[in-house]
DNA sequence: GTTTATTGACAGTAATACTATTAAAATCGT
DNA sequence: ACGATTTTAATAGTATTACTGTCAATAAAC
């Protein structure tokens, strides 16, 4: 798989941005550099002022693209899930059903390769952000209204696809969609724990994590 | 089990507070009312100023107990996990090993009963906070230093206990501690999803959640 | 009854998260 | 090449947040 974004651009809910960042040079720089900065300093310390300084532009220019940093975060995670959905469909398309689960888990646990996207954006850093910051995007008092606006469809669709695969493998299993979301969240948390709170896990390496989660799904659904 | 906190007080790392909130009336009111307020408005909108207003005291008085709201959150979650550890040990103490897993999952998925604690504090609301806000306590750039200070031992210990049980049931299973933390996090996330993002789960009721997670553990470890 | 701890009242600061206005620069259609 | 339009830069300003510091009033402890 290579740089498909030259032809395919992920579909992101226009409500999350005020002005399409991919419609201008500044917009693209905002995306690329915000990923670098949020990964570097964390969402809490990240401000539009700092980003403006680094991009040698002004706060007000940034506010033309995103109402606030929360919406920018939603944008970044939506983008991630759109890429992941494409990757999942692309990779599992021609696989026999019994191989799809392992392939899916592998996709969830392995960072997007840098070739998948044009130049400036670091997908490894984007994954770091999804792991460490994306729960903050929906664990808020605005979940319900933002969910209604469709801010989380990317994640929901991806999780739904994995749920669908699980359902096909065993149509009698009662909790395919719960199991799917558990596996996705866990892939992120276990990676974070391995790096920062190692007492909470024994799956320290990517290969172990993939084995752990694949096994978890397969055994659970028989 | 009844109001054991009359005799047992959870042991909380003194580094998280500047002044022990249980050493004064104001301190206790801070704990009780911050739980109500954080549950009500969410961590983002919760400020010491608002809390001071509601308690008819001043910001500076609150700052004498907690350096900032992040430390207050750490305190509340530590407290929760200390209670849960006690509950887990108490409840599973005399059970045969094959029943301990189901009992543990039940404990994780069922809110602490109000009788467990003296008067003013709502344990249901404390659980809401643990579900919706506690990831924000460790998904920060300060994890490593705060972990070193022991801010997360409560959660780590609890998760470790469940891991130990899993290990006893099947000593050959490779990922008992990963499985334990997955189940605990999932119990919280699935509850949140059921309420706010129902597409992400099929285990909508507490009883289903308990069944889903018990089954997940049992099947995974054979 | 005096020391000591605790709280309340008040003032103040730096940073954050914005909004608004206007001018300059780039781009775009014809 | 021209004016029209869009985009950005520069600047200013506001409300709120997240604190810190000082000092007096009060309550508790010895």
């Amino acid at each position: 798989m290579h740089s498909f974004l030259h032809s395919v651009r992920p579909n992101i809910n226009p409500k999350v941005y005020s002005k399409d960042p991919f419609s201008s040079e500044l917009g693209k720089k905002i995306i690329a550099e915000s990923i670098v900065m949020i990964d570097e300093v964390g969402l809490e310390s990240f401000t539009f002022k700092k980003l403006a300084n680094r991009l040698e532009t002004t706060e007000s220019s940034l506010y033309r693209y995103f109402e606030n940093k929360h919406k920018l975060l939603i944008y970044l995670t939506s983008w991630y899930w759109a890429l992941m959905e494409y990757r999942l469909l692309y990779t599992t398309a021609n696989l026999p059903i019994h191989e799809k689960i392992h392939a899916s888990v592998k996709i969830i646990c392995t960072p997007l390769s840098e070739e998948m996207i044009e130049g400036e954006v670091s997908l490894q850093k984007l994954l770091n952000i999804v792991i460490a910051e994306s729960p903050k995007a929906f664990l808020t008092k605005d979940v319900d209204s933002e969910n209604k606006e469709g801010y989380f469809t990317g994640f929901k669709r991806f999780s739904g696809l994995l749920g669908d695969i699980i359902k096909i493998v065993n149509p009698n299993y009662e909790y395919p969609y719960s199991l799917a979301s558990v596996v996705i969240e866990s892939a992120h948390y276990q990676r974070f724990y391995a790096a920062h709170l190692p007492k909470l896990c024994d799956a320290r390496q990517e290969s172990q994590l993939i084995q752990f989660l694949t096994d978890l799904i397969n055994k659970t659904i028989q």
Side-chain angles (χ1 to χ4, degrees), chain A:
Chain A
M1 179 159 26
H2 62 282
S3 209
F4 66 83
L5 270 198
H6 290 291
S7 48
V8 185
R9 174 140 295 148
N11 206 28
I12 289 167
N13 187 338
K15 283 174 188 161
V16 316
Y17 51 81
S18 311
K19 179 178 171 170
D20 181 7
F22 277 95
S23 70
S24 75
E25 277 312 305
L26 179 62
K28 283 177 220 168
K29 275 197 239 164
I30 290 171
I31 299 305
E33 197 58 28
S34 67
I35 290 172
V36 174
M37 275 194 85
I38 294 174
D39 176 53
E40 205 176 294
V41 305
L43 190 68
E44 287 73 25
S45 314
F46 169 81
T47 69
F48 275 14
K49 194 171 195 170
K50 289 176 191 167
L51 180 60
N53 283 339
R54 204 179 288 187
L55 291 175
E56 289 181 304
T57 180
T58 59
E59 269 183 283
S60 42
S61 297
L62 303 183
Y63 278 108
R64 253 175 247 118
Y65 289 85
F66 295 99
E67 270 179 56
N68 48 52
K69 71 177 172 182
H70 179 248
K71 294 239 175 146
L72 172 56
L73 176 65
I74 305 262
Y75 184 92
L76 295 178
T77 56
S78 299
W79 193 33
Y80 178 82
W81 288 115
L83 292 177
M84 288 290 280
E85 179 178 341
Y86 187 90
R87 189 156 80 126
L88 184 73
L89 292 172
Y90 188 100
T91 308
T92 63
N94 301 310
L95 289 167
I97 185 69
H98 62 279
E99 285 174 27
K100 283 195 182 188
I101 285 176
H102 184 246
S104 303
V105 171
K106 228 167 140 179
I107 284 170
I108 294 164
C109 296
T110 312
L112 287 143
S113 64
E114 298 295 332
E115 308 94 61
M116 263 189 84
I117 203 145
E118 44 222 304
E120 329 76 16
V121 174
S122 167
L123 295 174
Q124 173 62 60
K125 289 177 181 175
L126 183 55
L127 173 60
N128 292 343
I129 291 172
V130 170
I131 291 173
E133 317 293 357
S134 74
K136 301 168 194 168
F138 60 84
L139 293 175
T140 72
K141 288 289 164 188
D142 300 320
V143 222
D144 296 325
S145 61
E146 297 192 342
N147 184 38
K148 219 175 247 170
E149 296 284 326
Y151 288 14
F152 311 117
T153 40
F155 178 46
K156 279 157 56 183
R157 282 168 60 101
F158 186 90
S159 188
L161 288 173
L162 180 59
D164 292 341
I165 293 172
I166 291 170
K167 213 171 174 178
I168 291 170
V169 175
N170 182 354
N172 297 316
Y173 180 64
E174 276 184 281
Y175 307 109
Y177 297 102
S178 285
L179 186 56
S181 59
V182 162
V183 167
I184 295 166
E185 291 288 358
S186 296
H188 294 162
Y189 272 94
Q190 291 297 124
R191 191 180 263 262
F192 187 88
Y193 293 156
H196 302 290
L197 302 166
K199 285 243 171 76
L200 290 168
C201 63
D202 358 54
R204 301 276 155 76
Q205 289 175 297
E206 204 168 280
S207 59
Q208 292 178 304
L209 183 57
I210 293 168
Q211 198 203 324
F212 166 60
L213 293 174
T214 306
D215 184 64
L216 183 85
I217 299 178
N218 285 329
K219 288 213 181 117
T220 300
I221 65 176
Q222 306 316 358

